[in-house]
Coordinates of all heavy atoms in Angstrom, one line a residue:
M1352 N 26.7 13.3 25.1 CA 25.6 13.1 24.2 C 25.2 14.4 23.6 O 25.0 15.4 24.4 CB 24.5 12.3 24.9 CG 23.4 11.9 24.0 SD 22.2 10.9 25.0 CE 20.9 11.1 23.9
A1353 N 25.0 14.3 22.2 CA 24.6 15.6 21.6 C 23.1 15.8 22.0 O 22.4 14.9 22.0 CB 24.7 15.3 20.0
V1354 N 22.9 17.1 22.1 CA 21.5 17.7 22.4 C 21.1 18.6 21.3 O 21.9 19.5 20.8 CB 21.6 18.3 23.8 CG1 20.3 18.9 24.1 CG2 21.9 17.3 24.8
P1355 N 19.9 18.5 20.9 CA 19.3 19.5 20.0 C 19.5 20.9 20.4 O 19.2 21.2 21.5 CB 17.9 19.1 19.6 CG 17.8 17.8 20.1 CD 18.9 17.6 21.2
K1356 N 19.9 21.9 19.4 CA 20.2 23.2 19.9 C 18.8 23.9 20.1 O 18.8 24.8 21.0 CB 21.0 23.9 18.9 CG 21.5 25.3 19.2 CD 22.6 25.7 18.1 CE 23.2 27.0 18.7 NZ 24.2 27.4 17.7
R1357 N 17.9 23.6 19.2 CA 16.7 24.3 19.2 C 15.5 23.2 19.4 O 15.6 22.1 18.9 CB 16.4 25.1 18.1 CG 17.5 26.1 17.9 CD 16.9 27.4 17.1 NE 17.8 28.4 16.9 CZ 18.4 29.2 17.8 NH1 17.9 29.3 19.0 NH2 19.3 30.0 17.5
K1358 N 14.3 23.7 20.0 CA 13.1 22.8 20.0 C 12.6 22.7 18.6 O 12.6 23.8 17.9 CB 12.2 23.5 21.0 CG 10.8 22.9 21.1 CD 9.9 23.8 22.0 CE 8.5 23.3 21.9 NZ 7.7 24.0 22.8
T1359 N 12.1 21.5 18.3 CA 11.6 21.4 16.9 C 10.2 22.1 16.9 O 9.4 21.9 17.8 CB 11.3 19.9 16.6 OG1 12.6 19.2 16.9 CG2 10.8 19.7 15.3
S1360 N 10.0 23.0 16.0 CA 8.8 23.8 16.0 C 7.5 22.9 15.6 O 7.7 21.9 15.0 CB 9.0 25.0 15.0 OG 9.1 24.4 13.6
K1361 N 6.3 23.5 15.9 CA 5.1 22.8 15.5 C 5.0 22.6 14.2 O 4.5 21.6 13.7 CB 4.0 23.6 16.1 CG 3.7 23.6 17.6 CD 2.5 24.5 18.0 CE 2.5 24.7 19.4 NZ 1.3 25.7 19.7
S1362 N 5.5 23.7 13.4 CA 5.3 23.6 11.9 C 6.2 22.5 11.4 O 5.8 21.7 10.4 CB 5.7 24.9 11.5 OG 6.0 25.0 9.9
K1363 N 7.4 22.4 11.8 CA 8.4 21.4 11.4 C 7.9 20.0 11.7 O 7.9 19.1 10.9 CB 9.8 21.6 12.0 CG 10.8 20.7 11.6 CD 11.3 21.0 10.2 CE 12.4 20.0 9.7 NZ 12.7 20.1 8.4
T1364 N 7.4 19.8 12.9 CA 6.8 18.5 13.4 C 5.5 18.1 12.4 O 5.5 17.0 12.0 CB 6.4 18.5 14.8 OG1 7.6 18.9 15.6 CG2 5.9 17.1 15.3
A1365 N 4.7 19.2 12.3 CA 3.5 18.8 11.6 C 3.7 18.5 10.1 O 3.2 17.5 9.4 CB 2.7 20.0 11.6
S1366 N 4.8 19.2 9.5 CA 5.2 18.9 8.1 C 5.8 17.5 8.0 O 5.7 16.9 6.9 CB 6.0 20.0 7.5 OG 7.3 20.1 8.1
R1367 N 6.6 17.1 8.9 CA 7.2 15.9 8.9 C 6.1 14.8 9.0 O 6.1 13.7 8.3 CB 8.2 15.6 10.0 CG 8.9 14.3 10.0 CD 9.8 14.1 11.2 NE 10.2 15.3 11.9 CZ 9.9 15.5 13.3 NH1 9.1 14.6 13.8 NH2 10.3 16.6 13.8
K1368 N 5.2 14.9 10.0 CA 4.2 13.9 10.2 C 3.1 13.9 9.0 O 2.3 12.9 9.0 CB 3.5 14.1 11.5 CG 4.5 13.8 12.7 CD 3.9 13.8 13.9 CE 4.9 13.5 15.1 NZ 5.0 12.1 15.4
A1369 N 3.1 15.0 8.2 CA 2.2 15.0 7.2 C 2.3 13.8 6.2 O 1.6 13.3 5.5 CB 2.2 16.4 6.3
Q1370 N 3.7 13.4 6.1 CA 4.0 12.3 5.3 C 3.4 11.0 5.6 O 3.3 10.1 4.8 CB 5.6 12.2 5.3 CG 6.3 13.2 4.7 CD 6.1 13.4 3.2 OE1 6.0 12.5 2.4 NE2 5.9 14.7 2.7
N1371 N 3.0 10.9 6.9 CA 2.4 9.6 7.3 C 1.0 9.5 7.0 O 0.5 8.4 6.9 CB 2.5 9.6 8.9 CG 3.9 9.5 9.4 OD1 4.8 9.2 8.7 ND2 4.0 9.8 10.7
M1372 N 0.4 10.6 6.6 CA -1.0 10.6 6.3 C -1.2 10.4 4.8 O -2.2 9.9 4.4 CB -1.7 11.9 6.7 CG -1.7 12.2 8.1 SD -2.2 13.7 8.6 CE -1.6 13.8 10.2
K1373 N -0.4 10.9 3.9 CA -0.6 10.8 2.5 C 0.0 9.6 1.9 O 1.1 9.6 1.4 CB -0.1 12.1 1.8 CG 1.4 12.4 1.9 CD 1.8 13.3 0.7 CE 3.3 13.0 0.3 NZ 3.7 13.7 -0.8
K1374 N -0.7 8.4 2.1 CA -0.3 7.3 1.4 C -1.4 6.5 0.8 O -2.1 5.8 1.3 CB 0.3 6.4 2.5 CG 1.9 6.7 2.7 CD 2.6 5.8 3.6 CE 4.0 6.4 3.7 NZ 4.7 5.8 4.9
P1375 N -1.8 7.0 -0.5 CA -2.8 6.3 -1.1 C -2.4 5.0 -1.7 O -1.2 4.8 -1.9 CB -3.1 7.2 -2.4 CG -1.8 7.9 -2.6 CD -1.1 8.1 -1.3
I1376 N -3.3 4.0 -1.7 CA -3.0 2.7 -2.2 C -2.8 2.8 -3.6 O -3.8 3.0 -4.3 CB -4.1 1.7 -1.7 CG1 -4.2 1.6 -0.2 CG2 -3.8 0.3 -2.3 CD1 -5.5 0.9 0.2
S1377 N -1.7 2.5 -4.2 CA -1.5 2.5 -5.6 C -1.9 1.3 -6.2 O -1.4 0.2 -6.0 CB 0.1 2.8 -5.8 OG 0.8 1.7 -5.6
R1378 N -2.9 1.4 -7.1 CA -3.4 0.3 -7.8 C -3.0 0.4 -9.3 O -3.8 0.4 -10.2 CB -5.0 0.2 -7.6 CG -5.3 -0.2 -6.1 CD -6.8 -0.6 -6.1 NE -7.0 -1.0 -4.7 CZ -7.3 -2.2 -4.4 NH1 -7.2 -3.2 -5.2 NH2 -7.5 -2.5 -3.1
A1379 N -1.8 0.6 -9.4 CA -1.3 0.8 -10.9 C -1.4 -0.5 -11.6 O -1.4 -0.5 -12.8 CB 0.1 1.3 -10.7
S1380 N -1.2 -1.6 -10.9 CA -1.2 -2.9 -11.4 C -2.5 -3.4 -11.8 O -3.4 -3.2 -10.9 CB -0.3 -3.8 -10.7 OG -0.2 -5.1 -11.2
S1381 N -2.6 -4.2 -12.8 CA -4.0 -4.8 -13.0 C -3.8 -6.4 -13.2 O -2.6 -6.8 -13.7 CB -4.7 -4.2 -14.2 OG -3.9 -4.4 -15.3
C1382 N -4.8 -7.1 -12.9 CA -4.7 -8.6 -13.0 C -4.5 -9.0 -14.5 O -5.1 -8.5 -15.4 CB -5.9 -9.2 -12.4 SG -6.1 -11.0 -12.6
S1383 N -3.6 -10.0 -14.7 CA -3.4 -10.5 -16.1 C -4.4 -11.4 -16.6 O -4.7 -11.7 -17.7 CB -2.0 -11.1 -16.2 OG -2.0 -12.2 -15.3
Q1384 N -5.2 -12.0 -15.5 CA -6.3 -12.9 -15.8 C -7.5 -12.2 -16.2 O -8.2 -12.5 -17.2 CB -6.5 -13.8 -14.7 CG -7.4 -15.0 -14.9 CD -6.6 -16.1 -15.8 OE1 -5.5 -16.1 -16.0 NE2 -7.5 -16.8 -16.5
C1385 N -8.0 -11.3 -15.3 CA -9.3 -10.7 -15.5 C -9.3 -9.2 -15.8 O -10.2 -8.6 -16.3 CB -10.2 -10.8 -14.4 SG -9.7 -10.1 -12.8
G1386 N -8.0 -8.5 -15.6 CA -7.9 -7.2 -15.9 C -8.4 -6.2 -14.9 O -8.2 -4.9 -15.1
S1387 N -8.9 -6.7 -13.8 CA -9.3 -5.8 -12.8 C -8.1 -5.3 -11.9 O -7.1 -6.0 -11.9 CB -10.4 -6.4 -11.9 OG -9.7 -7.4 -11.1
P1388 N -8.2 -4.1 -11.2 CA -7.1 -3.6 -10.6 C -6.8 -4.6 -9.4 O -7.7 -5.0 -8.6 CB -7.6 -2.3 -10.1 CG -9.0 -2.2 -10.2 CD -9.4 -3.2 -11.3
A1389 N -5.5 -4.7 -9.2 CA -5.0 -5.7 -8.1 C -3.6 -5.2 -7.7 O -2.9 -4.6 -8.5 CB -4.9 -7.1 -8.6
L1390 N -3.3 -5.4 -6.5 CA -2.1 -4.9 -5.9 C -1.0 -5.7 -6.5 O -1.2 -7.1 -6.6 CB -2.1 -5.0 -4.4 CG -2.9 -4.0 -3.6 CD1 -3.2 -4.4 -2.1 CD2 -2.4 -2.6 -3.8
P1391 N 0.1 -5.2 -6.7 CA 1.3 -6.0 -7.1 C 1.8 -7.1 -6.1 O 1.8 -6.6 -4.9 CB 2.5 -5.0 -7.5 CG 1.9 -3.6 -7.2 CD 0.5 -3.8 -6.7
H1392 N 2.1 -8.1 -6.5 CA 2.7 -9.2 -5.6 C 1.5 -9.8 -4.7 O 1.9 -10.2 -3.5 CB 3.9 -8.8 -4.7 CG 5.0 -8.3 -5.6 ND1 5.8 -9.3 -6.3 CD2 5.5 -7.1 -6.0 CE1 6.8 -8.5 -7.0 NE2 6.5 -7.3 -6.8
H1393 N 0.3 -9.6 -5.1 CA -0.9 -10.0 -4.2 C -1.7 -10.8 -5.2 O -1.7 -10.6 -6.5 CB -1.6 -9.0 -3.6 CG -1.0 -8.3 -2.5 ND1 -1.4 -8.5 -1.2 CD2 0.0 -7.5 -2.3 CE1 -0.6 -7.7 -0.4 NE2 0.3 -7.2 -1.1
A1394 N -2.5 -11.9 -4.8 CA -3.4 -12.6 -5.5 C -4.6 -11.6 -5.9 O -5.0 -10.7 -5.1 CB -3.9 -13.8 -4.8
C1395 N -5.1 -11.8 -7.0 CA -6.2 -10.9 -7.5 C -7.4 -11.2 -6.6 O -8.0 -12.3 -6.4 CB -6.5 -11.2 -8.9 SG -7.9 -10.3 -9.6
P1396 N -8.0 -10.1 -6.1 CA -9.3 -10.3 -5.1 C -10.5 -10.7 -5.9 O -11.4 -11.2 -5.3 CB -9.4 -9.0 -4.5 CG -8.7 -8.0 -5.5 CD -7.7 -8.8 -6.1
S1397 N -10.6 -10.4 -7.3 CA -11.7 -10.8 -7.9 C -11.8 -12.1 -8.5 O -12.8 -12.7 -8.7 CB -12.0 -9.6 -8.9 OG -10.9 -9.4 -9.8
C1398 N -10.7 -12.6 -9.1 CA -10.6 -13.9 -9.6 C -9.7 -14.9 -9.0 O -9.8 -16.1 -9.2 CB -10.2 -13.8 -11.2 SG -8.4 -13.4 -11.5
G1399 N -8.9 -14.4 -8.0 CA -8.1 -15.3 -7.2 C -6.9 -15.9 -7.9 O -6.3 -16.9 -7.4
Y1400 N -6.4 -15.2 -8.9 CA -5.3 -15.8 -9.7 C -4.0 -15.1 -9.3 O -4.1 -13.9 -8.9 CB -5.4 -15.5 -11.3 CG -6.1 -16.8 -11.9 CD1 -7.4 -17.1 -11.6 CD2 -5.3 -17.5 -12.8 CE1 -8.0 -18.2 -12.4 CE2 -5.9 -18.7 -13.3 CZ -7.2 -19.0 -13.1 OH -7.8 -20.1 -13.7
Y1401 N -2.9 -15.7 -9.2 CA -1.6 -15.2 -9.0 C -0.6 -15.9 -9.8 O -0.5 -17.1 -9.7 CB -1.3 -15.1 -7.5 CG 0.0 -14.5 -7.3 CD1 0.2 -13.1 -7.4 CD2 1.3 -15.2 -6.9 CE1 1.4 -12.5 -7.2 CE2 2.3 -14.5 -6.7 CZ 2.5 -13.2 -6.9 OH 3.7 -12.6 -6.6
N1402 N 0.2 -15.2 -10.6 CA 1.4 -15.7 -11.4 C 0.8 -16.9 -12.3 O 1.3 -17.9 -12.4 CB 2.4 -16.3 -10.5 CG 3.8 -16.5 -11.2 OD1 3.9 -15.8 -12.2 ND2 4.7 -17.2 -10.6
G1403 N -0.3 -16.7 -12.9 CA -0.9 -17.4 -13.9 C -1.7 -18.7 -13.5 O -2.0 -19.5 -14.2
R1404 N -1.8 -18.8 -12.1 CA -2.5 -20.0 -11.7 C -3.5 -19.5 -10.5 O -3.2 -18.6 -9.9 CB -1.7 -21.1 -11.2 CG -0.9 -20.8 -10.0 CD 0.1 -21.8 -9.7 NE 0.9 -21.4 -8.4 CZ 0.6 -21.8 -7.2 NH1 -0.5 -22.6 -7.0 NH2 1.3 -21.4 -6.2
Q1405 N -4.5 -20.4 -10.2 CA -5.5 -20.0 -9.2 C -5.0 -20.4 -7.9 O -4.5 -21.6 -7.7 CB -6.8 -20.7 -9.4 CG -7.9 -20.3 -8.5 CD -9.2 -20.2 -9.2 OE1 -9.4 -20.9 -10.1 NE2 -10.1 -19.2 -8.8
V1406 N -4.9 -19.4 -7.0 CA -4.5 -19.6 -5.6 C -5.5 -19.3 -4.6 O -5.3 -19.9 -3.5 CB -3.1 -18.8 -5.3 CG1 -1.9 -19.3 -6.2 CG2 -3.4 -17.4 -5.6
L1407 N -6.5 -18.6 -4.9 CA -7.6 -18.4 -4.0 C -8.9 -18.9 -4.5 O -9.1 -19.0 -5.7 CB -7.6 -16.9 -3.8 CG -6.6 -16.1 -3.0 CD1 -7.0 -14.7 -3.0 CD2 -6.6 -16.7 -1.6
T1408 N -9.7 -19.3 -3.6 CA -11.2 -19.7 -4.0 C -12.0 -18.5 -3.7 O -12.2 -18.2 -2.6 CB -11.6 -21.0 -3.1 OG1 -10.6 -22.0 -3.3 CG2 -13.0 -21.5 -3.8
V1409 N -12.4 -17.9 -4.8 CA -13.3 -16.7 -4.7 C -14.8 -17.1 -4.5 O -15.2 -18.0 -5.3 CB -13.1 -15.8 -5.8 CG1 -13.9 -14.5 -5.6 CG2 -11.6 -15.4 -5.9
A1410 N -15.4 -16.6 -3.5 CA -16.7 -17.0 -3.1 C -17.7 -16.7 -4.3 O -18.8 -17.5 -4.3 CB -17.2 -16.3 -1.9
T1411 N -17.5 -15.7 -5.1 CA -18.5 -15.3 -6.0 C -18.4 -16.1 -7.3 O -19.3 -16.2 -8.1 CB -18.3 -13.9 -6.5 OG1 -16.9 -13.7 -6.9 CG2 -18.5 -12.9 -5.4
E1412 N -17.5 -17.1 -7.4 CA -17.3 -18.0 -8.5 C -18.4 -19.1 -8.4 O -18.7 -19.6 -7.4 CB -15.9 -18.6 -8.5 CG -14.9 -17.7 -9.2 CD -13.6 -18.5 -9.4 OE1 -13.2 -19.1 -8.5 OE2 -13.0 -18.4 -10.6
E1413 N -18.9 -19.5 -9.5 CA -19.9 -20.5 -9.7 C -19.4 -21.7 -10.4 O -18.8 -21.4 -11.5 CB -21.3 -20.0 -10.2 CG -22.0 -19.0 -9.3 CD -22.3 -19.6 -8.0 OE1 -22.9 -20.8 -8.0 OE2 -22.2 -19.0 -7.0
Ligands
ZN2078 ZN1 -8.1 -11.3 -11.8

C-alpha cells in the first residue's frame, strides 16, 4: 500500500480546508413572479411560486 512520502504541512492542510469555509449562498436568480431574490430550483420564499404556479402557502399573504 502506498504511503505518503511527507507529512502534510499545517499550511497545506489549512489552505485545503479554507475551501470549506468560503461558500456564500449565491442568490443570482430572482423570482419571475415577484422579482425578489430566490434560490434556483427552489420555491420563492416571499410569494411561494415555483415554475409559474403557487406551490407554497406563504403566511404573510392575505
Ligand atoms: Zn416570488
Side-chain angles (χ1 to χ4, degrees):
M1352 187 177 158
V1354 174
K1356 192 168 187 178
R1357 298 211 186 279
K1358 176 182 172 180
T1359 307
S1360 66
K1361 287 179 193 173
S1362 171
K1363 183 73 182 169
T1364 305
S1366 67
R1367 184 187 339 114
K1368 290 188 184 269
Q1370 291 295 319
N1371 299 336
M1372 297 173 197
K1373 62 155 207 180
K1374 275 180 186 163
I1376 300 161
S1377 72
R1378 290 188 179 257
S1380 180
S1381 62
C1382 176
S1383 60
Q1384 190 72 23
C1385 68
S1387 70
L1390 290 170
H1392 304 282
H1393 285 253
C1395 176
S1397 55
C1398 71
Y1400 270 69
Y1401 182 72
N1402 201 17
R1404 66 188 181 93
Q1405 186 136 32
V1406 292
L1407 291 176
T1408 308
V1409 181
T1411 55
E1412 273 188 316
E1413 291 298 319

